[in-house]
């Protein structure tokens, strides 16, 4: 707590491993690295009894009801009128616009239309090994004279045979590109900022998957031998959504299972603020499945200002597909990002390359691939319409429809200990803060993070800042209005 950060990196940067787990990706690297490894946070295990690729949280339901569809249509109309783009109800084109019904106007092609639309390749799930009938005998009797007749296999023609068997485990992006017919079970241990515990995904399996994924990254990416991990320390950077019990379980994995000598837990908001040289800020973290907003004041993250919004980059990608299907610009492909993870990878690439907030109609030309058949991958060059609409879901969340799934058993997360409380002891037996918890002076709720499902990002930021009740309010006086915000190019990848 007293060492200078630059001194810490100079002395121990090569022995510090930073782990930042998320719902979609996990980032891991040495503290001395400029850019960490960013790997999809998933694992696929071979299952003999599984006839084809399955997902542990396969009970996910993305079917929107009539009420959700009506709200989504209204949200689209509001955004369309604001950005001056065609409405979904436009059926017949005008004489000066010879376009098919419900097709967006091509006012200007994207400057990124020549971007490399690379095709995703299927993962080779077979572990090929050369098997020789006398290989074991030769290895044992390598120093002895062998009878030439013994080097012939039973068939007398082919002494060497290639044995194919499925890989036991596949990690990262390769796990998301497994063919549909392969007998694997895909697991994502974290979803929507919490452990992905359900009837089909037990706590034991979630923790085992976390341990296996992190151990694979430490071995294969950072090249740290398990026997040498006692020489390393870990920094666990966690978001505001994790509960105390989840923090303790991940800390136990780092210390007990992975074998680090010491470990410390840091908050994402503080890491972001300090990394930018700020001690007071409103930190907005747009992730793949959760958007977090929290205020940091004088180097302290205020827990009562934390908000967790249940939408992120994945929801924008699925909204992108919905908008194209409604505009009838998407090819006649059976694209299903919920059942086929490789389709979500394709949608993410399109979103990152083309989708941004602009005033006026913004279309682009891209190559869309079809991964319906494993042997041949179809593709079609198509024009994508209304690309400014999907990212506007951050401001109008009714445009986004998060998937629904059985929530984890919340009583399991109840914990009387606060991982953010300083518990070091003094000589008089009182804690270092005079016997009071670190946040006893603040209003505490049953959970540290408040969740509002139907408020946009602007409202969340204003609500978080106003809840500080301090001089931090002075920064709100010059907060941009929504209309002026829309005129600013938005090119950040969610």
């Amino acid at each position: 707590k007293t060492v200078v950060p630059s001194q810490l990196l100079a002395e121990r940067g090569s022995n510090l491993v930073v782990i930042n787990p998320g719902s979609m990706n996990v980032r891991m690297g040495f503290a001395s690295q400029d850019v960490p490894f960013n790997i999809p946070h998933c694992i696929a295990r071979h299952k003999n009894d599984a006839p084809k690729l399955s997902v542990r949280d396969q009970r996910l339901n993305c079917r929107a009801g009539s009420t959700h569809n009506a709200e989504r249509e209204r949200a689209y109309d509001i955004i369309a009128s604001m950005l001056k783009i065609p409405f979904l109800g436009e059926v017949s084109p005008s004489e000066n616009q010879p376009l098919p019904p419900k097709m967006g106007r091509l006012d200007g092609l994207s400057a990124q239309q020549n971007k490399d639309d690379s095709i995703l390749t299927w993962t080779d799930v077979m572990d090929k090994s050369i098997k020789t009938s006398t290989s074991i005998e030769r290895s044992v009797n390598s120093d002895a004279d062998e009878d030439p007749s013994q080097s012939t296999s039973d068939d007398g023609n082919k002494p060497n045979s290639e044995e194919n068997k499925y890989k036991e485990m596949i990690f990262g992006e390769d796990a998301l590109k497994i063919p549909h017919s392969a007998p694997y079970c895909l697991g994502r241990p974290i979803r929507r900022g919490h452990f992905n515990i359900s009837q089909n995904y037990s706590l034991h399996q979630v923790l085992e998957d976390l341990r296996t994924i992190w151990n694979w990254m430490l071995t294969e990416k950072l090249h740290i031998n398990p026997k040498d991990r006692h020489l390393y320390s870990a920094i666990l950077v966690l978001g505001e959504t994790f509960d105390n019990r989840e923090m303790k379980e991940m800390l136990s994995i780092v210390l007990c299972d992975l074998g680090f000598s010491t470990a410390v837990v840091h908050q994402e908001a503080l890491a972001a603020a300090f990394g930018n040289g700020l001690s007071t800020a409103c930190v907005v973290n747009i992730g793949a499945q959760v958007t977090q907003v929290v205020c940091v004041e004088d180097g302290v993250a205020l827990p009562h200002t934390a908000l967790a919004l249940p939408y992120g980059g994945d929801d924008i990608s699925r909204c992108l597909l919905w908008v194209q299907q409604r505009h009838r610009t998407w090819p006649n492909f059976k694209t299903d990002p919920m059942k086929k993870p490789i389709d979500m990878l394709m949608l993410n690439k399109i979103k990152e390359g083309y989708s941004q907030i602009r005033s006026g109609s913004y279309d682009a030309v891209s190559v869309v691939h079809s991964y319906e058949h494993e042997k041949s991958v179809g593709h079609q060059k198509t024009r994508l319409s209304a690309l400014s609409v999907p990212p506007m879901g951050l401001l109008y969340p009714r445009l986004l429809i998060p998937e629904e799934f059985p929530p984890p058993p919340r009583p399991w997360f109840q914990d009387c200990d606060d991982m953010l409380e300083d518990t070091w002891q003094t000589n008089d037996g009182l804690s270092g803060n005079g016997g009071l918890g670190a946040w006893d002076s603040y209003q505490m709720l049953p959970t540290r993070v408040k969740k509002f499902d139907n408020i946009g990002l602007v409202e969340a930021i204003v609500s978080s800042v106003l809840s500080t009740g301090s001089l931090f309010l002075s920064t709100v006086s010059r907060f941009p209005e929504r209309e002026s915000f829309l005129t600013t190019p938005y090119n950040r990848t969610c």
Side-chain angles (χ1 to χ4, degrees):
K1 292 183 179 180
T2 59
V3 70
V4 179
S6 60
Q7 177 186 355
L8 179 65
L9 290 179
E11 296 178 354
R12 300 186 55 192
S14 59
N15 290 336
L16 282 177
V17 177
V18 182
I19 304 175
N20 179 213
S23 301
M24 177 56 64
N25 297 325
V26 53
R27 291 184 290 184
M28 185 180 298
F30 293 106
S32 56
Q33 285 182 262
D34 293 334
V35 180
F37 291 98
N38 193 17
I39 306 295
H41 208 178
C42 59
I43 178 175
R45 298 178 182 270
H46 171 58
K47 296 292 183 182
N48 293 322
D49 55 348
K52 60 181 180 179
L53 178 66
S54 59
V55 183
R56 285 196 178 275
D57 46 8
Q58 57 188 347
R59 294 184 61 184
L60 292 175
N61 179 22
C62 191
R63 296 179 181 178
S66 58
T67 304
H68 294 90
N69 285 328
E71 292 180 352
R72 172 177 271 189
E73 297 281 353
R74 287 194 295 268
Y76 180 92
D77 291 341
I78 295 174
I79 297 172
S81 62
M82 187 178 301
L83 297 180
K84 301 178 182 180
I85 60 178
F87 290 90
L88 293 178
E90 290 186 356
V91 181
S92 58
S94 62
E95 296 180 358
N96 297 328
Q97 182 195 354
L99 295 177
K102 294 190 178 181
M103 184 74 74
R105 301 183 182 89
L106 190 62
D107 294 340
L109 294 180
S110 170
Q112 304 179 16
Q113 62 181 353
N114 295 325
K115 185 180 290 292
D116 181 22
D117 298 297
S118 58
I119 188 174
L120 299 174
T121 57
W122 296 105
T123 300
D124 185 7
V125 298
M126 305 307 298
D127 188 8
K128 300 178 180 179
S129 59
I130 304 299
K131 182 180 180 181
T132 306
S133 58
T134 59
S135 58
I136 300 179
E137 295 178 2
R138 289 178 180 177
S139 62
V140 175
N141 303 319
S142 58
D143 297 333
D145 294 334
E146 295 182 359
D147 188 352
S149 60
Q150 295 178 354
S151 61
T152 305
S153 59
D154 296 338
D155 56 9
N157 296 325
K158 298 180 179 179
N160 296 336
S161 62
E162 189 178 80
E163 182 184 15
N164 292 339
K165 62 178 182 179
Y166 288 103
K167 298 178 181 178
E168 291 298 326
M169 292 179 292
I170 301 177
F171 302 88
E173 186 171 327
D174 290 338
L176 301 177
K177 298 185 296 184
I178 295 178
H180 317 313
S181 60
Y184 280 85
C185 183
L186 180 67
R188 299 183 180 92
I190 298 178
R191 179 173 288 279
R192 297 290 179 189
H194 285 289
F195 284 175
N196 192 12
I197 302 174
S198 66
Q199 296 179 355
N200 300 323
Y201 209 172
S202 64
L203 169 64
H204 173 76
Q205 190 62 53
V206 167
L207 298 179
E208 177 63 22
D209 287 350
L210 282 176
R211 184 196 66 81
T212 306
I213 295 172
W214 295 0
N215 182 69
W216 171 77
M217 291 188 65
L218 290 171
T219 304
E220 299 296 330
K221 300 300 181 180
L222 301 184
H223 305 290
I224 302 178
N225 194 302
K227 297 181 180 179
D228 300 330
R229 290 193 189 149
H230 66 281
L231 303 175
Y232 294 82
S233 299
I235 299 178
L236 198 59
V237 182
L238 302 179
E240 296 292 330
T241 58
F242 290 109
D243 290 299
N244 299 330
R245 178 72 183 275
E246 292 171 316
M247 295 182 187
K248 289 183 178 181
E249 294 293 348
M250 286 187 283
L251 197 58
S252 298
I253 292 176
V254 170
L255 293 175
C256 302
D257 299 328
L258 300 181
F260 284 94
S261 60
T262 56
V264 64
V265 177
H266 275 300
Q267 296 170 271
E268 280 185 343
L270 288 179
F274 292 160
N276 287 277
L278 301 173
S279 61
T280 299
C282 181
V283 181
V284 181
N285 182 7
I286 304 177
Q289 299 177 5
V290 175
T291 298
Q292 304 174 50
V293 181
V294 64
C295 289
V296 177
E297 188 173 6
D298 294 334
V300 177
L302 307 179
H304 61 282
T305 66
L307 301 175
L309 310 175
Y311 50 78
D314 285 357
D315 303 286
I316 295 176
S317 298
R318 292 191 288 112
C319 182
L320 173 65
L321 175 62
W322 175 80
V323 170
Q324 304 312 312
Q325 290 175 342
R326 295 292 293 171
H327 276 273
R328 300 180 183 177
T329 59
W330 195 258
N332 190 21
F333 295 155
K334 295 181 180 179
T335 306
D336 190 349
M338 299 301 296
K339 295 183 179 179
K340 293 186 294 182
I342 194 171
D343 283 344
M344 177 60 79
L345 288 178
M346 177 188 64
L347 289 173
N348 283 334
K349 289 181 178 294
I350 295 177
K351 175 197 67 179
E352 295 169 3
Y354 300 102
S355 188
Q356 53 185 274
I357 296 180
R358 287 188 178 185
S359 180
S361 182
Y362 172 55
D363 298 0
V365 174
S366 177
V367 177
V368 177
H369 299 280
S370 172
Y371 298 95
E372 302 176 31
H373 308 287
E374 300 173 7
K375 294 183 179 180
S376 61
V377 179
H379 65 278
Q380 179 176 331
K381 192 173 184 180
T382 184
R383 178 177 54 190
L384 305 177
S385 300
L387 291 172
S388 300
V389 173
M392 286 291 293
L394 296 174
L395 308 181
Y396 295 90
R398 295 183 184 277
L399 186 69
L400 310 175
I401 300 181
E403 69 268 21
E404 299 175 357
F405 62 99
R410 302 311 303 165
W412 181 83
F413 295 106
Q414 299 299 328
D415 199 320
C416 59
D417 295 333
D418 193 343
M419 294 294 290
L420 302 178
E421 182 179 352
D422 198 348
T423 57
W424 56 278
Q425 299 292 321
T426 58
N427 295 331
D428 56 1
L430 299 178
S431 63
N433 54 10
L436 298 177
W439 311 117
D440 282 356
S441 59
Y442 298 100
Q443 179 184 4
M444 292 298 293
L445 299 176
T447 56
R448 290 192 302 112
V449 179
K450 297 178 289 185
K451 295 184 179 181
F452 298 93
D453 296 349
N454 296 322
I455 68 172
L457 185 57
V458 173
E459 289 83 356
I461 295 175
V462 173
S463 176
S464 179
V465 173
L466 291 177
S467 62
T468 59
S470 64
L471 296 178
F472 193 77
L473 292 174
S474 60
T475 61
V476 186
S477 59
R478 306 184 71 178
F479 194 86
E481 296 294 335
R482 178 172 298 177
E483 288 74 10
S484 61
F485 172 76
L486 296 179
T487 61
T488 304
Y490 181 87
N491 196 24
R492 170 170 177 174
T493 300
C494 296

